[in-house]
Amino acid sequence: MMTAIGQQTAWIKGAGAHCANEKPSARQVWRLVVLGPPGVGKGTQAELLCERLGVCHLSTGDVFRACRSLPPQERAPAINAALELMQRGELVSDQVVMNIIRERASCLHCGGGFLLDGFPRTFAQAIALDALLQQEGLTLTAALNYVMNLDEIVTRLAGRRTCAACGASFHESRRPPRVLGVCDSCGGKLCQRDDDRPEAVRVRMQAYQASASPVVAFYEKRGLLRSIRAEGLPEEVFRKTMSALNGTILS
Ligand code: AMP
C-alpha cells in the first residue's frame, strides 16, 4: 500500500494523476462515505479508518484548500468563485463539487477502496454520486453517520484551534499541539475560527441539519446507513465504528 501522502496526491491533483494504492490479496475493499456535522471528530475517525482499512482518504475540503494555495491566475474561474464561498463558510455549488469528483473518478476505482469525507453534503450530491458509482460499476459498502448532541458539539468546537496557514485542526484539550498556539504541521499560528464561537455553531448546525438530513435519509433508505454515537474518546468511537462495519461484512 502507498503512503498516505502518495494516496492523497492523485486525489488532490485530479485529472491525470495516478494512485498506486493496490489491493492486498484476499482483503475486503471498503467504499465508504462519512457523514456528520463539524465537531464530531469525523476527521480523526477518517484518519483511523484509513490507517486500519487501507482506504484512500478523499476529502473535498482538502481539494479546495489545495486550490487555495495556488496562485489566483492558475485557478479556473469556477474555483475562484468556490473559494469565495468557502471563505464565507458557505457550501460550494453542487455543480462545482460534482466536477471536482468526476475529474477524480479514477480515485473511486482505487484498489484499496476509498473513504469520502465532506461529500456528499447535499441531496443533489448524493443522487449524483449514486449515478456516478453506477456508471463506474461500483457500489458503496456503507455510509457512516457520526451523531452527537448539540451542547457537546458547541463545547468541542469552542476548544478547537485551526492553523491560519494550512487549515490543520487541533483541540485545546483533546488534541493539543506540541507547542501552544503553534501548528505541528507547518509552524503557522493557531486561531479560533469566528464560526467556532457558540452562537455561530448553533447557526451552522441548523444549516448542516437542513442539508444533511435528506442525505442521511437517502442512505438509510438504501440500507447503507450506520449511525454511530460520537461522544467519548476517539479510540472508543473507533471501536464502535469497526463493530458497525463488521455488521456490514456479516450482513
Ligand atoms: P470541510 O473541510 O469538509 O469542512 O470543507 C471545507 C469547505 O469546503 C466547506 O465549508 C465548503 O465551503 C467546501 N466544501 C467541501 N466539500 C463540499 C461539498 N461536498 N459541498 C459543498 N461545499 C463543500
Side-chain angles (χ1 to χ4, degrees):
M1 191 179 59
M2 287 273 292
T3 62
I5 293 165
Q7 290 173 30
Q8 279 273 324
T9 311
W11 174 252
I12 299 290
K13 284 200 172 163
H18 290 286
C19 172
N21 189 3
E22 284 174 15
K23 182 188 171 194
S25 56
R27 175 167 83 64
Q28 161 145 14
V29 175
W30 298 91
R31 298 194 183 93
L32 304 170
V33 159
V34 182
L35 308 171
V40 290
K42 231 171 0 126
T44 307
Q45 293 305 313
E47 278 172 28
L48 294 170
L49 282 161
C50 289
E51 212 176 281
R52 173 69 70 88
L53 305 177
V55 294
C56 279
H57 186 185
L58 310 182
S59 149
T60 38
D62 282 351
V63 174
F64 290 125
R65 278 183 285 278
C67 291
R68 202 170 46 188
S69 62
L70 290 173
Q73 64 277 14
E74 283 181 31
R75 302 179 201 142
I79 291 294
N80 279 324
L83 294 181
E84 273 175 37
L85 289 167
M86 185 182 173
Q87 190 77 25
R88 295 204 295 269
E90 290 172 38
L91 289 185
V92 171
S93 75
D94 290 333
Q95 199 190 344
V96 169
V97 173
M98 283 318 300
N99 285 343
I100 295 256
I101 302 287
R102 286 195 195 98
E103 277 175 9
R104 290 161 175 76
S106 64
C107 285
L108 302 174
H109 287 275
C110 182
F114 62 77
L115 179 150
L116 283 166
D117 175 8
F119 170 85
R121 257 192 172 78
T122 65
F123 186 63
Q125 290 177 17
I127 301 270
L129 173 64
D130 198 48
L132 179 62
L133 289 173
Q134 266 188 44
Q135 188 187 315
E136 301 287 325
L138 297 166
T139 48
L140 272 188
T141 318
L144 297 168
N145 179 34
Y146 290 98
V147 289
M148 189 184 271
N149 76 46
L150 182 58
D151 288 340
E152 170 95 17
I153 291 180
V154 169
T155 311
R156 283 194 180 196
L157 289 182
R160 185 160 82 167
R161 296 294 176 267
T162 307
C163 176
C166 75
S169 187
F170 298 85
H171 193 275
E172 278 188 329
S173 55
R174 296 172 59 85
R175 193 181 191 180
R178 284 192 293 269
V179 178
L180 189 71
V182 179
C183 176
D184 285 357
S185 318
C186 76
K189 187 173 172 220
L190 298 183
C191 309
Q192 183 179 39
R193 283 167 37 171
D194 281 348
D195 59 357
D196 279 348
R197 283 175 294 109
E199 325 75 73
V201 169
R202 290 180 196 277
V203 174
R204 279 163 76 198
M205 286 307 140
Q206 277 170 4
Y208 172 80
Q209 290 305 346
S211 62
S213 303
V215 177
V216 169
F218 177 87
Y219 288 119
E220 188 160 34
K221 211 167 153 191
R222 279 163 178 69
L224 289 171
L225 195 73
R226 303 287 178 274
S227 287
I228 297 146
R229 298 285 332 167
E231 289 90 358
L233 293 171
E235 308 83 72
E236 289 164 25
V237 180
F238 187 60
R239 268 196 296 278
K240 286 190 253 176
T241 305
M242 289 311 293
S243 39
L245 286 178
N246 285 336
T248 303
I249 302 176
L250 297 173
S251 63

